[in-house]
Amino acid sequence: MVGTAKTLSVLTLVGGACGAFVVGVLGRLAMRLLAALNPDATGVTSDDGFVMGQVTPSGSVQLALAGLQFGVIGAGFYVIVRGLIIGPTWFRLLSISLGPAVVIGAIVVHTDGVDFQLLKPSWLAAGLFIALPAAYVALLHVLGERALEHWRPPNALVVIGLAPWVLLFPVTLALAAGFTAFRSLRRSNTGRALLVSPWPAWMLRAGLAVLFVAALIDLRNDLVDLS
């Protein structure tokens, strides 16, 4: 239990930092690029409530805090799927970054609203919103795994890393329920045999692959409609 808490804490700290950097810095640069390519969009409020082409200290802080929040939540999902990552180093990095990026891209890219109708070329706008989550997950995977292997955070930082999950109580409750169910399975002979078997993990991987394909098709359809 202690090891699990430390793993969650370390990945939460790394995930929050990566999210703040990717959204607050790389995301801001992406927005400035799109604003430069679309001067007519300057001053228009985006679907997320940000004013296009306008850089203010308060807006940058708000963007970084949003990235911090998404980074923490992303770290929680990473903890869940971490055990399903397989293959050589390059494939692990590619699959764990590209898969979530396509799914998030399918959620973010939409044909209504002003964002993708106004920003041209639409393929570049969509590509940037796919590249950003891919960069986040890649950083989380590389830095998070290295931190787990080499970093021994002091107890104060461990507490700070776990603090967000007190605020995200429903998510924490779901994670705790999953951990309790896993512990219960390990105590029974049938459960241990099920956990040793490779089939449950492969079924979960197959489900994630289906989700990836469905998101890819949805993303492709949206891009066709926007072109």
Side-chain angles (χ1 to χ4, degrees), residues 1 14 17 35 46 77 144 179-180 198 205 211:
M1 184 68 175
V14 175
S46 71
F77 281 105
F179 179 76
T180 303
R205 292 186 186 106
L211 177 62

Side-chain angles (χ1 to χ4, degrees), residues 193-218:
L194 182 63
L195 292 174
V196 171
S197 172
W199 291 110
W202 279 108
M203 290 178 65
L204 289 173
R205 292 186 186 106
L208 291 175
V210 170
L211 177 62
F212 169 77
V213 172
L216 190 61
I217 294 173
D218 180 65

